Amino acid sequence: MKRLAAVAALLGLAAVTACSGSTGDKPAAGGSGSGGGLYTTIDGLKPGLDVNGPINPWNPKGNAFLGFNAMRIAWSKNHLTDPNQFYPGIAASWEIAPDNSSITLHLHPGNKWSDGKPVTAEDVKFSIALAYTQGSTAFAIDPGAAGAASEVEVVDEKTVKITQDMDNPSVTFVRGVMDSYIVPQHVWGSVLPADFWDKLKAARGEGAEAEKAREEITALSEKVLAFAPPKDVSAGPFTLERMNPSEALLVKNKNFYNAANVGPDQVKMLNYTGNEQIWNYLIAGKLDNAPFTAVPADVMKRITTTQGNGVVKGYSPVSLGMAFNQSKKPYDNVHVRRGLAYLINRDEVTKIASPEGGTPAVTTTGIHQKPAAEWLGADLAALEPYKLDVAKAEEEFKEAGLKKEGGKWTLPDGTPWKFTVNVPAPFSDWISGAKAVTSQLTAAGIDAEVVTTADYPLYLKELAEGKYDVGFWLIALGPAPYNIYQRLYGVSNGWSILGGKLKHAEPGKNGNWMGGPETIEVDGAKVNPGELTAKLNSASGDEQKKIIGQLAKAANQDLPVVQLWDYVNTQFVNTNRFTGFPENDSDLLRQPSGVWIQLGMVKKKQ
Amino acid sequence: MTMFARRLAGHLARGLVMVLVVTTVSFFVIRSVPGDPMAARYEKLVEQGMSPTAAQRAVEVLYGFAPTGSLWQQYVDYMSGLLRLDLGQSLMVPGVGVSTVLFSAAKWTVLPVLAGTLLSFLIGVVMGVYAAIRRSGRLGDVLAISGSLLHGVPQYVLALLLGAVFTTLIPILPTSGTADIMFEPGFNAGYIGSLIEYATLPVLTYALASYGGWILAMKSSVVTVLGDDFILAAELRGIKRGIVFRYVARNAILPLFTILALSLGMLFGGAIFIERIFNYPGLGLMLIDGINNRDYALMGGAFLLITVAIVVANIVADLFYSVIDPRVRSGEGAR
């Protein structure tokens, strides 16, 4: 009886869950797949699968896996300096006007949705309408928004022309267009009102009617975000077959334009909620690919020991900086910041904290060292490198009025100087880096400590509230120069666009947690770095390059952050089942592996 | 039946009060949790290459789903929604009701917890009887010591040990998940086998985590019952040992039903750690996600569900106790 009860309990578990999570009734091939085989990976963009999520690319938990069953117009290349280079997605080719005033898209002639209906220009236009409700960069309804489209024209069944509003152009207009998700109008058609485009036209005007139209369009955003198509109709290489809480199964879309070159027949997405699960999957040899994941050295060793596992590395436009709250003393003094920079051995810090995923920053420019070399050329070498130099550090501290008493540095008024750096607890590499920094500072006579915060949301809240003297901060988020310098001279340092005009909040107020003043001294002259950054949104060519040089020098001399390490994009691949993965420094490494697959790169191992 | 109905009504009333109190307290506690999920979401988007402007707009759209109004107004809205069994919408999965999210996750926690608890209860009770009867022998000592050892080991340590053994040293069980997606859901051998395979480690952890307590409690209870006069009388009348054994077991097991109910609640709490370790996406893992994303509605719903589960378990255990204990059923105990 007891054994029967135990078995009954387990059978009950099976029976109750047996029919849950299915999104279709088509039987899977079973086993390890057939023909091209089964490809196993994770979705690096959305940790945590959710069977309740709609098949909706705009929904943060949507079961639309980018590159697999969710498509963009085109896939951006990981170019060092140019954000406007792409691989084909929904569009097969395109023409960009020389002055960036328009882009004309030509869709793949033979591409069809997974239900057999053709992908048309009307689908693209409709999807752009959906994008307007979400307020994307190129499709913004705010008057005067930079880089916004002024017109979307269906030229023919496979051609769409999108024109930029040249009253306030942006060099990222094309990128904004290409990053748009494309969904089938015949599935999503009920989401938008029939008069949407008339409403949009009205929204671009002035006055009460325009305001009302904008409100109506904005109100559609929640409806779009929540929309749940009854089944997956995809223009990508796969469609979602079914899910359970821990795995999702996608099967090949035979109507995809490049189906003949799509290697796998099926894709399995695995659930994860943290890096540890990814490590375990990799160690077990379960994943054919995993995107960038922070990995300690000892774990990396175990991962690479697993048969078939390999690591592909490339450029990642992300750097880590140690940011100062300049509204607090003594960090309001540039000499203190410079002195600290001279005391930090970035090579040692990176070796300890991020040996696999980072490379020591050459110096502080606000830009990852690779694009910095492109943008700045020989001028990069002319910047102060802030190599470890205790003597120079002491000179800077003394210039700031600090005193060294009994081997310890004190503030000008003689009170002890307590250096506290804050980091979020879940970020193991940041913690290691912070500890390495404080260890070096302590050795130099500074009373330094690391304080951790429970999680990232709390860390960011307290950071924004100005509670921290020093905290770690991601910078150099490119490739667009405007995006890069927004991290140093944007909202976090007081500059924001209000009513179409650039405003600066006083140090320590209205979100200016970095506490920077409106103007700083660079080479003896006053510079407004926020203004320069704002200009980058529309500048191009030599003007762009000149501004970048000015900002790099500003960051280097004023040091709102000390750039510690520049991240390396570390991708994991396993060649036991599939080959043809991108090689080191490929410009596809930042795209999901679904993009590699749809471009025909990944093949079943023979 | 009248007595039973009265007891049931009393329990339900007390349970309802408990649920209301916990709901109110948890509502305000949840809203006091600090952190800025909008900023975290924004950071994530710009790290992925989205422009700052687009990321800001995307975040604003997403958090349009968040509750609005004063804290008191939110509370009133929440409670009125509760009366309609409407727990609000999840912030993590916009457009999806919290009830939907909860119940889709609940079965992946409830059933393993019940299976593990039942397994540990049955084995623990039987072993406890043996440990008591043979307490002066070697087998009794071994059983008692094993119970003590397991009772003192935290759940998450057990989970880590089992995970290390059966997924690394002897890799015969899956490292995470609920079932192999390659098997189509349905009442078929492949899918059911997969469910059992993936549930083995969590269930085994729940079972081992509770086993020690059961064996010790049952042993203690049996030792007490063995000294009762009716057992001595039965032995004197020459009743078979097996029948005496059943008399002992049935009487000794009575106090354990209350402990059973309480242990279910404790296991639900422990599910957070076990599901995290095994990446078994049930209520525990969902709650972690909710906390990380400051999904207030989801957090509140999860706490409510756990509270209701504990209250219901207690009620069921107590009513069941009255069924199996004639003294309670007849009301004689009250006198």
Side-chain angles (χ1 to χ4, degrees):
Chain A
M1 178 59 70
K2 299 177 182 64
R3 291 200 186 98
L4 182 61
V7 172
L10 290 177
L11 289 175
L13 167 67
V16 171
T17 57
C19 296
S20 67
S22 178
T23 57
D25 55 8
K26 182 179 179 182
S32 61
S34 63
L38 174 68
Y39 183 89
T40 306
T41 186
I42 58 171
D43 184 359
L45 302 176
K46 298 195 297 288
L49 295 177
D50 196 316
V51 295
N52 302 296
I55 306 173
N56 179 334
W58 289 279
N59 194 294
K61 282 277 192 173
N63 293 311
F65 305 102
L66 202 58
F68 293 92
N69 65 331
M71 289 290 284
R72 287 183 162 153
I73 291 176
W75 305 105
S76 61
K77 295 183 179 181
N78 191 32
H79 195 275
L80 291 178
T81 59
D82 186 359
N84 293 330
Q85 293 194 19
F86 307 93
Y87 283 98
I90 288 288
S93 63
W94 47 88
E95 292 103 40
I96 304 173
D99 61 353
N100 208 41
S101 61
S102 70
I103 180 171
T104 304
L105 308 171
H106 304 284
L107 310 187
H108 288 284
N111 200 16
K112 295 180 180 178
W113 298 104
S114 56
D115 62 1
K117 296 183 179 179
V119 178
T120 68
E122 289 293 341
D123 290 318
V124 174
K125 183 172 181 179
F126 177 82
S127 299
I128 289 173
L130 295 173
Y132 271 110
T133 70
Q134 303 300 303
S136 66
T137 301
F139 305 111
I141 60 176
D142 301 334
S150 61
E151 188 179 2
V152 181
E153 178 192 356
V154 172
V155 177
D156 59 43
E157 189 178 341
K158 294 290 184 178
T159 306
V160 184
K161 181 178 181 182
I162 303 160
T163 305
Q164 181 176 196
D165 183 353
M166 299 305 284
D167 286 343
N168 190 9
S170 169
V171 293
T172 59
F173 163 72
V174 169
R175 177 66 172 261
V177 170
M178 297 299 214
D179 279 353
S180 301
Y181 301 117
I182 304 301
V183 296
Q185 183 175 15
H186 61 279
V187 174
W188 285 70
S190 63
V191 176
L192 297 180
D195 63 346
F196 175 84
W197 292 101
D198 292 331
K199 216 179 290 290
L200 178 64
K201 186 176 180 181
R204 289 178 170 149
E206 299 291 337
E209 287 299 316
E211 183 60 35
K212 180 183 176 185
R214 285 194 288 273
E215 288 175 355
E216 290 175 346
I217 292 174
T218 302
L220 292 169
S221 62
E222 292 183 11
K223 186 179 178 185
V224 171
L225 204 64
F227 182 69
K231 62 175 288 188
D232 190 13
V233 177
S234 168
F238 300 96
T239 56
L240 181 63
E241 178 76 6
R242 60 171 173 267
M243 287 185 73
N244 65 35
S246 57
E247 298 180 0
L249 177 66
L250 296 98
V251 298
K252 191 170 180 177
N253 171 17
K254 291 179 171 55
N255 291 317
F256 178 61
Y257 77 88
N258 201 23
N261 291 315
V262 170
D265 279 347
Q266 293 169 313
V267 174
K268 184 192 285 189
M269 288 282 178
L270 300 185
N271 179 55
Y272 70 97
T273 55
N275 288 349
E276 312 85 63
Q277 281 112 37
I278 302 174
W279 303 343
N280 289 336
Y281 287 143
L282 290 168
I283 292 169
K286 280 194 168 185
L287 299 180
D288 294 298
N289 160 253
F292 174 81
T293 307
V295 180
D298 57 334
V299 176
M300 178 63 86
K301 185 176 180 181
R302 293 176 65 194
I303 291 172
T304 53
T305 301
T306 299
Q307 182 184 356
N309 276 352
V311 179
V312 182
K313 295 187 176 184
Y315 159 63
S316 180
V318 185
S319 300
L320 181 67
M322 186 175 75
F324 302 102
N325 185 338
Q326 297 174 51
S327 66
K328 298 189 177 214
K329 294 184 180 297
Y331 309 104
D332 59 334
N333 194 310
V334 68
H335 296 289
V336 170
R337 302 196 297 273
R338 290 175 183 169
L340 290 167
Y342 279 121
L343 286 178
I344 298 172
N345 183 338
R346 299 186 298 277
D347 291 351
E348 193 64 26
V349 169
T350 307
K351 183 179 178 182
I352 292 170
S354 190
E356 300 287 344
T359 186
V362 170
T363 183
T364 297
T365 60
I367 316 172
H368 190 291
Q369 59 190 265
K370 284 196 170 185
E374 294 286 319
W375 289 114
L376 304 177
D379 289 343
L380 178 59
L383 298 176
E384 177 59 49
Y386 295 106
K387 290 293 187 181
L388 177 64
D389 192 325
V390 176
K392 285 187 177 180
E394 294 196 353
E395 285 179 21
E396 295 288 349
F397 288 158
K398 288 176 181 176
E399 182 74 24
L402 302 186
K403 303 171 184 175
K404 195 168 189 180
E405 298 175 354
K408 294 286 186 180
W409 286 98
T410 64
L411 299 177
D413 62 3
T415 58
W417 176 20
K418 184 75 170 181
F419 178 93
T420 303
V421 59
N422 297 267
V423 291
F427 294 10
S428 58
D429 56 338
W430 286 23
I431 292 176
S432 298
K435 288 182 177 177
V437 167
T438 54
S439 176
Q440 293 172 4
L441 297 182
T442 298
I446 299 173
D447 186 5
E449 66 172 357
V450 178
V451 173
T452 59
T453 310
D455 62 11
Y456 200 37
L458 180 57
Y459 174 79
L460 292 173
K461 179 179 172 68
E462 295 188 337
L463 189 72
E465 291 174 346
K467 290 185 175 180
Y468 303 154
D469 295 347
V470 182
F472 278 15
W473 179 243
L474 290 176
I475 62 174
L477 302 180
Y482 173 73
N483 296 357
I484 290 172
Y485 278 106
Q486 271 286 310
R487 299 297 287 181
L488 294 183
Y489 303 116
V491 173
S492 58
N493 218 343
W495 283 278
S496 58
I497 305 291
L498 297 173
K501 294 185 177 180
L502 184 68
K503 305 285 186 180
H504 182 262
E506 290 182 21
K509 297 183 178 179
N510 295 326
N512 182 359
W513 61 263
M514 292 178 79
E518 189 165 12
T519 59
I520 59 176
E521 189 172 312
V522 180
D523 286 343
K526 288 291 184 180
V527 171
N528 186 323
E531 278 186 1
L532 291 175
T533 299
K535 288 179 180 178
L536 282 177
N537 207 12
S538 57
S540 60
D542 289 340
E543 184 190 8
Q544 183 184 59
K545 204 161 188 178
K546 178 184 175 184
I547 294 174
I548 291 171
Q550 290 176 288
L551 287 169
K553 188 175 289 186
N556 184 254
Q557 292 186 17
D558 188 63
L559 288 176
V561 308
V562 173
Q563 198 162 330
L564 296 176
W565 69 75
D566 301 325
Y567 276 98
V568 175
N569 183 9
T570 306
Q571 295 274 329
F572 299 92
V573 298
N574 186 295
T575 55
N576 286 338
R577 296 170 287 273
F578 293 94
T579 58
F581 296 105
E583 297 184 348
N584 288 334
D585 294 315
S586 166
D587 57 12
L588 274 169
L589 283 182
R590 292 199 82 208
Q591 291 293 351
S593 60
V595 176
W596 313 345
I597 292 171
Q598 66 176 259
L599 294 176
M601 297 175 65
V602 178
K603 299 297 182 187
K604 186 176 183 180
K605 186 175 183 180
Q606 300 300 316
Chain B
M1 180 57 70
T2 302
M3 177 64 71
F4 181 87
R6 287 182 189 174
R7 291 179 62 86
L8 177 60
H11 281 304
L12 289 176
R14 287 189 289 274
L16 183 60
V17 169
M18 184 182 294
V19 168
L20 288 175
V21 169
V22 171
T23 300
T24 300
V25 172
S26 64
F27 175 88
F28 289 101
V29 169
I30 287 166
R31 261 82 183 161
S32 68
V33 173
D36 189 350
M38 289 181 69
R41 179 69 184 165
Y42 172 89
E43 291 290 305
K44 181 73 174 177
L45 293 174
V46 294
E47 287 171 38
Q48 292 172 1
M50 190 177 287
S51 73
T53 304
Q56 183 62 34
R57 290 174 182 146
V59 169
E60 288 169 355
V61 169
L62 176 62
Y63 285 89
F65 284 85
T68 57
S70 68
L71 190 59
W72 177 250
Q73 183 60 51
Q74 288 182 41
Y75 174 70
V76 171
D77 292 343
Y78 180 70
M79 295 304 287
S80 63
L82 211 56
L83 293 176
R84 304 190 305 271
L85 299 180
D86 178 7
L87 299 177
Q89 283 195 352
S90 169
L91 205 57
M92 293 194 307
V93 197
V96 178
V98 165
S99 299
T100 301
V101 177
L102 284 176
F103 286 109
S104 74
K107 57 182 177 288
W108 298 102
T109 295
V110 171
L111 293 175
V113 165
L114 289 177
T117 304
L118 183 59
L119 189 64
S120 68
F121 185 81
L122 293 176
I123 296 175
V125 163
V126 171
M127 294 297 106
V129 173
Y130 278 116
I133 293 175
R134 299 177 183 275
R135 60 189 178 281
S136 59
R138 179 170 295 181
L139 178 59
D141 287 341
V142 170
L143 291 173
I145 291 171
S146 70
S148 296
L149 287 175
L150 287 172
H151 189 58
V153 179
Q155 287 181 8
Y156 61 89
V157 173
L158 274 176
L160 290 171
L161 288 172
L162 290 172
V165 170
F166 292 108
T167 66
T168 303
L169 296 179
I170 310 173
I172 58 175
L173 291 173
T175 56
S176 65
T178 55
D180 189 337
I181 195 67
M182 304 310 294
F183 295 108
E184 189 168 4
F187 204 80
N188 59 77
Y191 183 67
I192 293 173
S194 181
L195 286 173
I196 294 173
E197 179 188 18
Y198 279 75
T200 297
L201 281 175
V203 170
L204 195 58
T205 303
Y206 291 125
L208 289 176
S210 303
Y211 163 81
W214 294 129
I215 193 172
L216 295 176
M218 190 61 178
K219 177 188 174 186
S220 176
S221 187
V222 168
V223 169
T224 301
V225 172
L226 284 174
D228 286 354
D229 292 342
F230 76 95
I231 296 297
L232 294 176
E235 290 177 341
L236 288 174
R237 287 198 293 271
I239 295 176
K240 293 181 180 178
R241 188 174 183 83
I243 297 176
V244 172
F245 186 86
R246 293 210 304 271
Y247 287 163
V248 171
R250 174 157 180 169
N251 282 274
I253 204 171
L254 293 178
L256 270 63
F257 279 105
T258 301
I259 303 174
L260 175 64
L262 296 176
S263 73
L264 283 173
M266 294 176 67
L267 285 180
F268 278 119
I272 292 176
F273 300 105
I274 293 172
E275 290 178 4
R276 181 74 172 85
I277 290 169
F278 293 123
N279 191 25
Y280 196 86
L283 276 177
L285 213 54
M286 183 209 69
L287 183 56
I288 291 173
D289 274 349
I291 293 170
N292 287 337
N293 290 278
R294 305 298 191 271
D295 191 337
Y296 297 147
L298 193 61
M299 292 164 67
F303 289 133
L304 175 64
L305 193 59
I306 292 172
T307 302
V308 169
I310 293 171
V311 168
V312 169
N314 276 272
I315 292 173
V316 169
D318 194 82
L319 294 177
F320 191 50
Y321 193 97
S322 72
V323 170
I324 63 176
D325 188 336
R327 295 169 297 176
V328 175
R329 181 171 64 241
S330 65
E332 184 175 355
R335 293 197 295 270

